[in-house]
Amino acid sequence: MFRKARITLTIWYLAIIMAISIFFSTFIYIGATGEFNRILRMQEYRREHPEVRPRLIQDIQLQYQNLPIEPDPKVIEDAEARVLESLIGINLIIFIMSAISGYFLAGRTLRPIKKMMDEQNRFVSDSSHELRTPLTSLRSEIEVALRNKSLSVVNANKILQSNLEEVINLQILSDNLLELSQNGKLVSKNLMEDLSIAKIIDEAVRKTVSLAKIKQIKIENNVKDYKIKGVFDRLTEVFVILLDNAIKYSSKGSKVEIFSKVENNEIKISVKDYGIGIDSKDLTYIFDRFYRAEGSRTKHGYGLGLSIAKKIIESHGGLITAESKDSKGSVFTIILSKT
Ligand code: ADP
């Protein structure tokens, strides 16, 4: 498909360049032949009116006494033909050079579009793949239940409960996919306002504390308040993702710490856990869509949270980093400019 587009674009480049080149060549040809004919007419005039010959021309002609001063249309015709040949030659060279450089330029122009389309296709195929697994299990569970003529109410209830869980997960997945598909529009600059970091963290903690309680995990909030510019809901979402992961990937009774500091006019807010940690080979990929480290595949999650968090932080002009030493817990740090 891109080969065809590249050739079409090359033809367009070529057509534009050749149209300009032929336009100017025609002007050059008309100008040159006009000039030749003017010289011819001047010669004829001089022959017919020798008395009005300018002094300078007479002097020149004295030097070339042996040369015929008769006007010679044949010489002019030859000159015209040579000009035409040169112009055709030049246009041919321009044609070949434009075709080569046009093809190269078309490739360069289409490269970012191709990259974007490849990414889009990968996104669609990854999403379909992720949707297929829960849908298949949902379908087979329902089919098995329907075939069972002696299904008790208690068992039917259990199946419905499990189906509901799958549906909720699918809903989370589709919400996440929708969020990720809003390329670049995840955070609108018009919605940005002056915010307090402490309030954002308080809200994120409030949203995750019940999950932490289930695992008896203590959330230690040591955040000092700073002002930043951003969108409250979006930034809260980032910290919910980080806290949710910290709880999800930590064992029962563990703790999660949140702290902040200012360095070089930048605010750094970290979420630290003492959980399973992240292998160094996974660290570079965890912000990629659908990436899940080997050990966490069985846990809930589609590997979309961190890529959403990264997107939100980047649209705030910030940075998100992850560290994990010897796979003993992890530290996620958000870096934002101070207002
Ligand atoms: P998921 O929904 O699978 O947690 P994320 O994008 O939030 O997706 O995270 C991607 C992967 O990064 C996770 O599957 C997990 O392997 C790893 N990860 C993220 N946060 C942590 C953490 N705090 N501790 C250990 N591993 C983590």
Side-chain angles (χ1 to χ4, degrees):
M1 181 199 162
F2 270 91
R3 210 181 138 69
K4 214 175 136 199
R6 191 176 185 177
I7 290 169
T8 312
L9 204 60
T10 309
I11 292 170
W12 270 104
Y13 284 152
L14 207 56
I16 293 166
I17 294 170
M18 288 322 292
I20 296 170
S21 176
I22 290 169
F23 177 78
F24 282 109
S25 301
T26 311
F27 263 103
I28 292 170
Y29 183 71
I30 292 170
T33 50
E35 194 58 26
F36 292 152
N37 287 320
R38 200 175 67 81
I39 293 168
L40 193 66
R41 282 200 305 278
M42 234 166 68
Q43 263 186 316
E44 274 170 358
Y45 183 80
R46 282 210 318 272
R47 186 171 53 96
E48 286 161 16
H49 307 276
E51 70 288 354
V52 292
R53 263 185 220 161
R55 173 103 195 100
L56 186 66
I57 290 175
Q58 268 183 30
D59 287 350
I60 293 166
Q61 277 170 358
L62 277 174
Q63 287 176 28
Y64 299 102
Q65 274 171 11
N66 300 333
L67 294 174
I69 65 153
E70 286 300 303
D72 189 350
K74 181 78 180 71
V75 173
I76 301 290
E77 264 173 39
D78 282 354
E80 281 179 3
R82 267 202 302 278
V83 169
L84 191 66
E85 266 171 31
S86 310
L87 286 173
I88 291 171
I90 289 168
N91 272 283
L92 251 159
I93 294 168
I94 291 176
F95 180 84
I96 294 164
M97 280 171 67
S98 321
I100 296 167
S101 48
Y103 189 70
F104 172 75
L105 208 69
R108 291 291 294 253
T109 314
L110 291 170
R111 204 179 295 162
I113 302 169
K114 183 175 182 321
K115 201 174 153 226
M116 227 170 70
M117 278 195 73
D118 285 348
E119 198 156 307
Q120 200 80 16
N121 289 341
R122 214 171 26 244
F123 181 58
V124 171
S125 75
D126 285 351
S127 312
S128 331
H129 181 79
E130 291 298 328
L131 282 165
R132 199 184 302 141
T133 321
L135 278 174
T136 312
S137 86
L138 197 61
R139 182 183 165 172
S140 53
E141 220 175 2
I142 294 170
E143 279 174 350
V144 169
L146 284 175
R147 272 202 297 271
N148 186 355
K149 299 282 177 238
S150 56
L151 186 70
S152 68
V153 176
V154 179
N155 280 340
N157 232 316
K158 270 190 199 155
I159 290 165
L160 281 176
Q161 194 60 43
S162 141
N163 287 352
L164 183 66
E165 271 171 32
E166 290 288 10
V167 170
I168 291 169
N169 282 334
L170 277 169
Q171 207 169 9
I172 295 170
L173 175 61
S174 77
D175 288 348
N176 285 345
L177 288 175
L178 196 69
E179 209 165 344
L180 273 176
S181 69
Q182 291 168 350
N183 245 336
K185 286 182 241 139
L186 216 54
V187 172
S188 157
K189 290 264 180 289
N190 309 334
L191 297 175
M192 289 214 183
E193 50 187 348
D194 288 329
L195 303 171
S196 137
I197 271 291
K199 278 192 184 154
I200 295 170
I201 302 296
D202 284 347
E203 180 62 8
V205 172
R206 193 185 65 76
K207 286 187 169 175
T208 46
V209 77
S210 54
L211 194 72
K213 268 190 187 146
I214 296 171
K215 286 184 83 175
Q216 290 150 23
I217 288 174
K218 190 167 173 266
I219 301 178
E220 266 180 28
N221 181 355
N222 299 316
V223 164
K224 287 187 212 111
D225 199 11
Y226 299 110
K227 292 271 170 278
I228 50 149
K229 225 178 174 57
V231 180
F232 186 84
D233 288 346
R234 290 302 190 194
L235 289 173
T236 306
E237 192 181 343
V238 170
F239 288 100
V240 168
I241 291 170
L242 296 185
L243 286 172
D244 185 68
N245 278 348
I247 298 164
K248 220 162 48 175
Y249 300 112
S250 291
S251 47
K252 229 174 167 183
S254 178
K255 72 168 174 180
V256 174
E257 294 164 3
I258 320 166
F259 48 90
S260 60
K261 62 177 172 186
V262 171
E263 242 175 44
N264 308 324
N265 222 26
E266 284 176 334
I267 301 170
K268 296 185 175 178
I269 313 123
S270 303
V271 176
K272 182 179 167 109
D273 68 62
Y274 298 86
I276 60 166
I278 304 162
D279 202 292
S280 57
K281 73 171 174 22
D282 293 314
L283 262 179
T284 27
Y285 304 108
I286 53 170
F287 295 102
D288 292 353
R289 267 182 336 220
F290 299 110
Y291 190 84
R292 277 167 290 183
E294 212 41 63
S296 50
R297 282 192 200 277
T298 48
K299 311 247 174 179
H300 269 313
Y302 294 98
L304 291 175
L306 287 180
S307 49
I308 293 175
K310 185 173 182 241
K311 228 171 161 180
I312 296 174
I313 292 301
E314 282 177 353
S315 40
H316 278 81
L319 204 73
I320 179 166
T321 63
E323 284 168 76
S324 184
K325 285 213 176 74
D326 308 324
S327 295
K328 283 184 195 138
S330 324
V331 187
F332 283 84
T333 303
I334 304 288
I335 305 167
L336 293 165
S337 310
K338 199 166 168 268
T339 52

